Amino acid sequence: MNSSMLFDISAGAYIAAMIIYVIYLVVKNRTVGVVATSMTIFGFVSQSAAFIIRWVNSYSFWLASNPTSGFVESLLRAAPLRNLYESLVFFVWSLILIHLLIEFKYKIRSLGAFVTPVAALALLFIDISGTTKEIQPLMPALQSNWLLFHVLLAFLGYAAFGVSFGAAAAYIIMITESKKEKTYIFWSVITGIFLVVLIGMGIDFLSLSAVERKELIQSHFLKATFRSESGGVVVISWLASFVFVSAIWRYGHRLKKVLSSMSITANMLDEITYKSIAVGFPLFTLGGLLMGAIWANSAWGKYWSWDPKETWSLITWFVYALYIHARYVGGWRGKRVAVLAVVGFIAVIFTYLGVNLVLSGLHSYGSQ
Amino acid sequence: MEEKKKKDIFEEAWRFLSSVKLAIFTLIILALSSIIGTIVEQQAEPAKNITLLAKFFGDSAAPAVYNVFAKLGFMDMYHSWWFLSLLLLFSINLIVCTLDRFPTTLRLVRTPLGPLAENVLRTLPVKKELKFKTSLNIVKDEIANIMNLSKYRVLEANKDDAIQLYSQKGKYARFGVYIVHLSIILILLGAIIGVRFGFGGFLNLPEGQESDVAYTSGGKEIPLGFSVKCNWYDTKYYEGMDMPQDFKSELVVMDGGREVLKKVIEVNSPLTYKGITFYQSSYGMVPNATGYFVLNITPSGGNSNIIWLKAGESFDIPGTGTRGTIVNFSPALTQDKRTGALMTYAENMVNPAVAIRFDGPGQQQFTGWILKRYPDTGILSGGHKVELVDYWGVEYTGLQVSKDPGVWLIYIACIIMAIGLYIAFFMSHKKLWINIAHESPGSKGPVRITVGGSTSRNRLAFEKEIEHLLSKASHAIEGRSRK
Ligand code: HEM
């Protein structure tokens, strides 16, 4: 068993778990729920093994080009948190870890149906963005002890935010009453578009050769559907998406019914949203912002240079500080704070991927 | 009348500046406006941003939009007057809010905990009731004992026939928020000190040269008060790849005509002297420079010998009669994949190579390329070896030079913030009252205990803790009453 095989197994398990969690939401059968959880645990165990094996491999890789490096130093430098691929993988791992902890603590299984899609999306993104999976040598700026702690804590924070996003999304779905409500339209259309893009990327992926897959995001994005050469395919894609999004809007309230008939309450989701932000916020502040600044100071002589990556972390931080104050002191409750939690996670995604793919920056992984 | 009005205005302003509403407003504006500066490239040449704006507004409108944006300070927005004013408003809000609330918190923490009437106790967020068929004193002793073991310092009050035990834990957790807020102010202070008393500059220093100034990004000289010399600069590559493994330069600090410090700096390992720090940040080629070829000559079985030569000069391989002459140089040599011809593929010294013509009495003349990164290219027939150590004097090291007397404050603030966040989010102020009395007053019937508690956060965990305490106490009580 090598690391990438184990990793593929875990990815498969997570995606299966996602499907089973959704089935569980609908059929409410306890056995189905237990299967979903076991599948998640199975995926988690194999991913942990994959992580350790990769660390070991990466350790020998580092030693090969730095034979004089000591044991602890090599171990730190070899931590598999060194590029986009590895950090996405770690994000998925932390997300599942936190999800499992919450599932056992609060005894709510249905949250899985909202957290596993976030993991599945990250996994899918790994494959279709064409980011390299090879163990790569470390560029000079990354050869710092701060890097490991910076990335480790920041990603645990991101994962906690990911859970809060899942809970807040479920909350919003649960409390919207009528199809005409803005929040209802907000979540049903966003979910619809999200799924359409996901399906579109899936079709791309299936129709591309291995070489083309590597650059899907750069040049083949939605080539098999919306951007197809054949006009017929384009029209069908638009029609299908329209029908799909309308269907979600039309039947989305069933999801709400399903949620309300489970043993979860809106209060519980609100509580989980707040709790995970209360865990994510200190982790992200310490790891993402403070250690990032210390690392930048030791590498470039400036702890803060307002480059896009730093600024977007700060924006993310502002949004979550906003959430905390609005809810804890400002007396905001319900929809308004839940929307803030969703916005916060969109800021996280942008900090993490948008800045690399869309904007360029001083320490963007993407530019490399 | 006038007095009262003044006071009203002052109170209005105070209420406004201490309000959390203002904080929410400022945070939203800060978050939204910060986005602008991540899209518009900051402190860049106008042409760059005009090109960018043309993508959104079209070619014809772009210059006009640029002018408006520039007037609004968007081209250097994090230093614009309005962004700095927002930060100032944010800090004032934070300070006033703290001054407003701190006395209350302080009073709360200082006021000793007192007993509660039983009916008040029953209205607390966390409550619980239990009964025991044993004496008051046994119940009291065991509960007090268990609470003490769990680090609750127990106080006791007696009223009529009832006993009340009460205690609080973690009252200082109330200060966590203030510690976090204080650290934010300290970070801003540290930043101000850095901007006011420090500088950020750069210095491109060619190999072998010395400078007693650095430069601002605007090109102005910043005197250092001493001088710094670059002995050499070197890029190390990963074996077989064009990926840099390390950027290094050897710097020497000269102060008062004496060498005081010498250090090889790398990307994550700078040199600091008299509060000024030199960071390895870039490198490049000095235009039109000629330098020295540093060769390491090792005759088969002999000792190696380092020599320095200029282009066109010759050397002997000792004891062989072979002469080498330097005839060509390429900073980045490669072979064209199609034609097989040799060519230079970069201006920087990515793959430096020197062409040497070898000849000697009775030998066939030939010319070979020797590559720095591939020492095997320098092994001649007969096992003699010529290595290219460096082409010295043509590269400069790009140094970021900065002095920031505020950094220590920033670091302290980081530590304070970490501690504050821990206290604010993971610790709580818990209060607990336990009333112990006979079921019906005066009688000898079962003993009833009524527990009430409150906590500043994390109620669920507190409830569990109380349940745990009580179950331990019940065990102990039952154990004792059975004897
Ligand atoms: C981005 C900057 C800020 C950060 C990181 C921050 C952090 C925090 C944290 C961690 C808490 C504790 C929340 C909890 O226990 O759940 C808190 C509470 C609070 N913050 Fe801030 N804060 C910031 C800005 C501000 C500003 C500008 C104000 C000005 C009004 C403010 C006013 C308050 C108040 C009144 C509380 C409640 C204190 C209490 O428990 O009595 N904060 N803040």
Side-chain angles (χ1 to χ4, degrees):
Chain A
M1 278 284 166
N2 63 27
S3 161
S4 67
M5 273 162 71
L6 278 167
F7 177 69
D8 288 345
I9 290 174
S10 72
Y14 292 151
I15 288 169
M18 170 177 82
I19 296 166
I20 304 173
Y21 271 123
V22 172
I23 295 177
Y24 169 70
L25 263 194
V26 179
V27 303
K28 286 167 250 161
N29 178 315
R30 215 188 100 80
T31 320
V32 177
V34 172
V35 173
T37 307
S38 321
M39 198 52 126
T40 314
I41 295 176
F42 172 69
F44 184 74
V45 170
S46 29
Q47 197 190 354
S48 308
F51 186 78
I52 293 170
I53 294 176
R54 190 168 173 100
W55 198 330
V56 171
N57 291 345
S58 161
Y59 175 81
S60 354
F61 185 86
W62 166 265
L63 265 193
S65 47
N66 299 274
T68 55
S69 172
F71 175 71
V72 174
E73 190 195 351
S74 308
L75 209 59
L76 290 177
R77 294 289 183 277
L81 296 168
R82 315 166 351 146
N83 57 21
L84 187 62
Y85 167 72
E86 289 176 336
S87 58
L88 271 169
V89 168
F90 182 69
F91 169 74
V92 172
W93 186 85
S94 328
L95 189 71
I96 297 292
L97 174 69
I98 295 180
H99 163 65
L100 284 173
L101 290 177
I102 289 184
E103 186 173 320
F104 281 101
K105 186 162 174 208
Y106 288 85
K107 307 268 175 292
I108 52 170
R109 208 159 250 149
S110 351
L111 191 65
F114 294 87
V115 173
T116 42
V118 180
L121 182 72
L123 290 170
L124 203 67
F125 189 85
I126 290 173
D127 267 323
I128 61 187
S129 65
T131 133
T132 175
K133 295 183 183 180
E134 307 282 304
I135 294 179
Q136 284 170 306
L138 215 49
M139 56 190 246
L142 302 186
Q143 294 167 18
S144 157
N145 289 344
W146 290 108
L147 171 73
L148 175 63
F149 301 111
H150 169 57
V151 179
L152 196 78
L153 293 180
F155 273 85
L156 282 171
Y158 286 166
F161 290 152
V163 173
S164 80
F165 167 75
Y171 178 87
I172 290 177
I173 291 175
M174 243 184 126
I175 59 159
T176 45
E177 293 293 338
S178 122
K179 276 186 215 126
K180 302 227 162 52
E181 244 176 288
K182 274 197 217 106
T183 355
Y184 182 87
I185 298 173
F186 171 75
W187 80 255
S188 59
V189 172
I190 296 264
T191 312
I193 294 174
F194 177 82
L195 290 176
V196 165
V197 173
L198 218 62
I199 295 170
M201 283 161 97
I203 297 176
D204 282 342
F205 188 69
L206 293 178
S207 61
L208 292 178
S209 69
V211 182
E212 287 169 320
R213 275 177 201 175
K214 281 217 155 134
E215 45 196 53
L216 196 155
I217 280 290
Q218 286 95 333
S219 43
H220 298 282
F221 185 60
L222 299 184
K223 262 275 164 67
T225 46
F226 296 93
R227 292 171 58 221
S228 166
E229 315 254 289
S230 135
V233 174
V234 174
V235 171
I236 290 174
S237 305
W238 280 106
L239 275 179
S241 323
F242 183 75
V243 170
F244 190 76
V245 173
S246 318
I248 292 194
W249 175 75
R250 178 73 184 71
Y251 298 106
H253 62 289
R254 300 238 166 128
L255 193 55
K256 170 196 143 69
K257 287 217 189 87
V258 169
L259 275 178
S260 348
S261 68
M262 312 281 307
S263 55
I264 36 174
T265 61
N267 266 342
M268 213 168 189
L269 289 173
D270 181 52
E271 165 113 0
I272 292 172
T273 310
Y274 179 64
K275 281 275 162 58
S276 25
I277 289 176
V279 170
F281 190 76
L283 285 174
F284 173 67
T285 308
L286 186 66
L289 286 175
L290 302 185
M291 287 188 177
I294 295 173
W295 173 35
N297 193 50
S298 72
W300 294 287
K302 259 180 161 182
Y303 52 83
W304 196 262
S305 42
W306 292 106
D307 84 278
K309 191 101 181 166
E310 284 170 348
T311 309
W312 269 98
S313 325
L314 189 68
I315 293 169
T316 304
W317 194 64
F318 283 151
V319 177
Y320 283 108
L322 192 62
Y323 175 94
I324 288 169
H325 289 82
R327 207 199 111 124
Y328 188 71
V329 230
W332 289 22
R333 280 291 182 279
K335 255 186 261 179
R336 280 207 287 182
V337 273
V339 168
L340 264 187
V342 170
V343 170
F345 194 64
I346 292 176
V348 167
I349 295 177
F350 201 84
T351 304
Y352 178 38
L353 298 175
V355 173
N356 294 358
L357 297 175
V358 182
L359 311 162
S360 58
L362 193 63
H363 47 288
S364 87
Y365 292 117
S367 68
Q368 219 219 291
Chain B
M1 204 51 199
E2 270 297 289
E3 271 299 282
K4 190 166 182 291
K5 214 170 176 187
K6 247 190 205 158
K7 218 176 144 201
D8 280 352
I9 291 177
F10 178 77
E11 267 176 17
E12 258 325 282
W14 182 268
R15 198 168 317 134
F16 173 71
L17 286 175
S18 67
S19 72
V20 177
K21 274 218 181 87
L22 178 64
I24 291 177
F25 170 80
T26 335
L27 280 170
I28 292 177
I29 302 294
L30 275 173
L32 287 178
S33 62
S34 298
I35 297 176
I36 301 169
T38 65
I39 298 168
V40 178
E41 205 170 315
Q42 299 294 291
Q43 299 176 335
E45 289 152 25
K48 268 191 174 167
N49 278 319
I50 293 179
T51 321
L52 179 80
L53 289 172
K55 284 188 195 143
F56 296 96
F57 300 98
D59 283 330
S60 51
V65 175
Y66 178 86
N67 282 339
V68 174
F69 277 21
K71 285 248 164 59
L72 291 173
F74 289 178
M75 300 305 147
D76 189 9
M77 71 154 268
Y78 304 111
H79 305 99
S80 68
W81 65 268
W82 59 267
F83 192 79
L84 294 177
S85 309
L86 264 179
L87 285 178
L88 185 69
L89 179 65
F90 182 75
S91 339
I92 292 175
N93 184 204
L94 197 50
I95 293 169
V96 174
C97 175
T98 303
L99 293 179
D100 192 54
R101 290 176 169 244
F102 191 69
T104 320
T105 307
L106 199 60
R107 214 172 309 128
L108 190 86
V109 169
R110 281 210 180 134
T111 319
L113 196 67
L116 276 188
E118 199 182 351
N119 56 346
V120 179
L121 197 152
R122 284 172 194 279
T123 63
L124 291 175
V126 180
K127 23 185 186 283
K128 196 98 195 145
E129 254 190 45
L130 284 178
K131 281 180 201 159
F132 297 101
K133 289 205 180 87
T134 178
S135 80
L136 264 185
N137 277 333
I138 290 186
V139 174
K140 189 202 86 180
D141 285 352
E142 291 305 328
I143 291 184
N145 185 23
I146 297 285
M147 282 175 71
N148 275 324
L149 283 178
S150 303
K151 304 251 160 35
Y152 279 100
R153 281 204 14 243
V154 184
L155 298 169
E156 187 181 332
N158 295 297
K159 195 177 161 227
D160 306 331
D161 291 331
I163 305 172
Q164 192 169 84
L165 300 177
Y166 55 95
S167 177
Q168 61 178 338
K169 193 156 93 171
K171 61 181 177 185
Y172 295 107
R174 300 258 178 205
F175 292 130
V177 189
Y178 297 98
I179 300 177
V180 176
H181 289 163
L182 173 75
S183 71
I184 294 171
I185 298 294
L186 291 182
I187 286 177
L188 290 170
L189 262 179
I192 293 173
I193 294 177
V195 171
R196 180 70 190 75
F197 300 104
F199 62 77
F202 70 93
L203 175 61
N204 289 343
L205 200 55
E207 287 171 322
Q209 293 193 21
E210 194 174 327
S211 170
D212 56 3
V213 292
Y215 299 89
T216 66
S217 52
K220 271 202 256 105
E221 286 189 358
I222 311 166
L224 298 173
F226 54 87
S227 71
V228 56
K229 180 179 165 194
C230 170
N231 274 352
W232 48 260
Y233 168 80
D234 191 30
T235 311
K236 204 173 144 205
Y237 287 88
Y238 280 103
E239 222 175 289
M241 280 183 272
D242 274 354
M243 172 147 177
Q245 180 175 17
D246 226 335
F247 309 113
K248 289 184 181 188
S249 11
E250 186 174 77
L251 299 186
V252 179
V253 175
M254 316 277 286
D255 197 357
R258 272 186 325 114
E259 177 181 320
V260 288
L261 195 60
K262 180 157 131 183
K263 184 178 176 187
V264 176
I265 65 167
E266 297 168 53
V267 175
N268 274 296
S269 159
L271 172 152
T272 303
Y273 181 69
K274 286 196 171 165
I276 301 181
T277 308
F278 298 85
Y279 298 86
Q280 182 72 61
S281 83
S282 68
Y283 67 99
M285 302 290 284
V286 181
N288 305 322
T290 54
Y292 288 90
F293 293 91
V294 185
L295 302 180
N296 187 12
I297 317 284
T298 319
S300 168
N303 293 331
S304 35
N305 189 13
I306 300 260
I307 55 168
W308 291 55
L309 301 170
K310 291 211 143 216
E313 290 183 345
S314 304
F315 61 92
D316 289 321
I317 299 180
T320 62
T322 306
R323 268 175 76 77
T325 307
I326 293 174
V327 293
N328 202 352
F329 171 74
S330 163
L333 189 73
T334 190
Q335 201 167 27
D336 191 298
K337 280 209 185 75
R338 251 173 343 104
T339 61
L342 293 174
M343 56 183 235
T344 295
Y345 68 99
E347 279 171 28
N348 278 336
M349 295 229 285
V350 184
N351 190 18
V354 62
I356 298 180
R357 187 181 66 229
F358 292 97
D359 50 22
Q363 295 180 13
Q364 173 123 36
Q365 175 183 320
F366 77 98
T367 302
W369 283 95
I370 296 175
L371 288 82
K372 179 178 171 209
R373 283 171 53 195
Y374 303 91
D376 285 354
T377 50
I379 298 175
L380 307 178
S381 59
H384 315 301
K385 211 167 149 189
V386 179
E387 278 173 274
L388 174 60
V389 178
D390 195 12
Y391 181 39
W392 185 88
V394 295
E395 279 180 297
Y396 66 80
T397 178
L399 302 171
Q400 163 97 34
V401 185
S402 66
K403 176 175 159 181
D404 192 341
V407 153
W408 62 273
L409 189 54
I410 301 273
Y411 278 18
I412 290 176
C414 287
I415 295 171
I416 293 179
M417 188 184 282
I419 295 170
L421 283 171
Y422 181 80
I423 298 175
F425 284 109
F426 300 112
M427 290 170 87
S428 49
H429 180 195
K430 295 176 271 194
K431 295 180 194 163
L432 192 55
W433 290 266
I434 300 175
N435 214 57
I436 307 171
H438 283 291
E439 181 106 78
S440 41
S443 85
K444 289 251 165 233
V447 175
R448 184 175 67 198
I449 68 170
T450 317
V451 182
S454 69
T455 175
S456 60
R457 70 182 308 125
N458 221 344
R459 211 184 75 202
L460 281 177
F462 187 46
E463 270 170 19
K464 282 221 177 101
E465 183 185 351
I466 290 181
E467 254 163 48
H468 186 67
L469 279 180
L470 288 179
S471 87
K472 272 201 335 205
S474 310
H475 269 292
I477 293 166
E478 273 153 23
R480 244 179 83 177
S481 38
R482 230 176 277 131
K483 270 178 215 157

